[in-house]
Amino acid sequence: MTDAICYRDSYADRITATVVATEPGESERGPLVVLDRTVFYPGGGGQPADRGTFLRAADGRTWTVRAARKEGDEIVHELEPAEAEPPRPGDRLEVDLDWARRHLLMRTHTALHALCGVVWRDYGAQVTGGNMEPGTARMDFEFERMNGDLVDAIEATVNAELERGREIRVNVLPRAEAFAIPDLIRTKVNLLPPGISEIRTVEIVGLDLQADGGTHVASTSEVGRIRVTGYESKGRINKRIRIALAGSLQG
Ligand SMILES: [Zn+2]
């Protein structure tokens, strides 16, 4: 079982860890490495997995990590396919995230939750899906009456909420307790597999509360401002809103 540090400390970007297991690469896929602990986010909930590097202090050898994913209780790191010789079990590695990219993803993810919170509070529209890249994101809502004027108002309201410096709190609750929170029902917590005994929640205090596995910034003021870059109909009821962080590369 990997100690997955990202779920309790999203700001941890570098640690020392020990290699537990490896698997050679095959054709398209690079070698796989499992560590006793890691700061890598394995992807999920619309947030892409982290990238970064491993450094073996003993001989100065480095590897590029192109992705990570969750497999059971483990986080598996995938090296670049060109890395023929992965580290060996027992090796001590310095594990280093691409922090600029991760921090941008954290700001983007928190921005999405702020959007979600505003659209729910002010219009009662539920989220049906979402996805993000560093600095840009989209979210789909059951939002029949969405139009251009509403979208402008939403952008202004989200920015006002972000500016208020609302705190973001992460909690892990027993399943029964989480199910008792009415707000969580709208994020379809009831669709979670029955085997899960604990539910992690992410709260933008005073604005939004969701069952969520992602990494977030500590305060909405760290997000900065967002722009709505587009909106479209995905059917009579389903509508999509696209956002970008102001000042981000893609924004
Ligand atoms: Zn989320």
Side-chain angles (χ1 to χ4, degrees):
M1 178 172 175
T2 312
D3 179 14
I5 293 165
C6 67
Y7 296 118
R8 57 177 191 274
D9 182 5
S10 61
Y11 287 85
D13 65 337
R14 182 186 290 196
I15 48 147
T16 306
T18 304
V19 178
V20 171
T22 63
E23 207 178 288
E26 49 181 45
S27 57
E28 305 283 275
R29 165 176 75 60
L32 305 179
V33 178
V34 177
L35 304 170
D36 61 342
R37 59 196 199 125
T38 188
V39 287
F40 275 71
Y41 179 67
Q47 182 182 335
D50 286 326
R51 296 177 192 155
T53 55
F54 291 161
L55 163 70
R56 185 165 60 198
D59 62 358
R61 171 94 202 251
T62 62
W63 293 267
T64 301
V65 184
R66 52 142 53 167
R69 62 177 169 274
K70 208 162 187 182
E71 279 182 20
D73 284 339
E74 287 178 339
I75 292 178
V76 178
H77 306 78
E78 184 186 346
L79 307 180
E80 286 293 341
E83 306 277 18
E85 206 184 302
R88 290 176 294 268
D91 282 357
R92 294 282 286 166
L93 302 179
E94 204 157 279
V95 178
D96 208 349
L97 283 188
D98 179 344
W99 174 249
R101 179 175 177 276
R102 154 69 94 74
H103 187 243
L104 191 48
L105 282 166
M106 283 162 54
R107 291 169 59 213
T108 308
H109 201 157
T110 302
L112 266 189
H113 283 215
L115 172 67
C116 196
V118 164
V119 170
W120 171 250
R121 181 194 66 190
D122 295 355
Y123 306 96
Q126 292 198 20
V127 171
T128 57
N131 208 11
M132 74 199 82
E133 294 297 326
T136 61
R138 62 172 169 78
M139 190 148 260
D140 297 339
F141 297 93
E142 284 174 2
F143 197 0
E144 191 170 358
R145 65 201 174 98
M146 191 189 77
N147 60 48
D149 291 338
L150 281 187
V151 165
D152 288 347
I154 288 166
E155 180 187 84
T157 307
V158 170
N159 280 323
E161 292 293 343
L162 292 173
E163 239 170 61
R164 293 179 70 166
R166 290 187 182 276
E167 185 194 344
I168 287 92
R169 282 187 202 148
V170 176
N171 266 306
V172 178
L173 302 176
R175 185 185 178 90
E177 209 174 304
F179 271 67
I181 302 172
D183 250 18
L184 284 185
I185 303 303
R186 75 187 157 88
T187 54
K188 304 191 166 47
V189 69
N190 47 333
L191 297 182
L192 292 172
I196 293 178
S197 60
E198 287 188 321
I199 290 169
R200 184 176 183 268
T201 62
V202 173
E203 178 179 17
I204 301 179
V205 176
L207 180 64
D208 185 65
L209 176 62
Q210 296 185 39
D212 190 77
T215 61
H216 291 263
V217 291
S219 162
T220 57
S221 56
E222 210 172 316
V223 175
R225 296 177 65 80
I226 62 132
R227 283 190 303 118
V228 171
T229 54
Y231 63 96
E232 57 213 71
S233 260
K234 308 300 286 180
R236 188 173 61 85
I237 292 173
N238 280 300
K239 314 289 168 171
R240 174 169 292 176
I241 298 177
R242 294 179 187 278
I243 63 167
L245 297 190
S248 76
L249 225 60
Q250 295 90 337

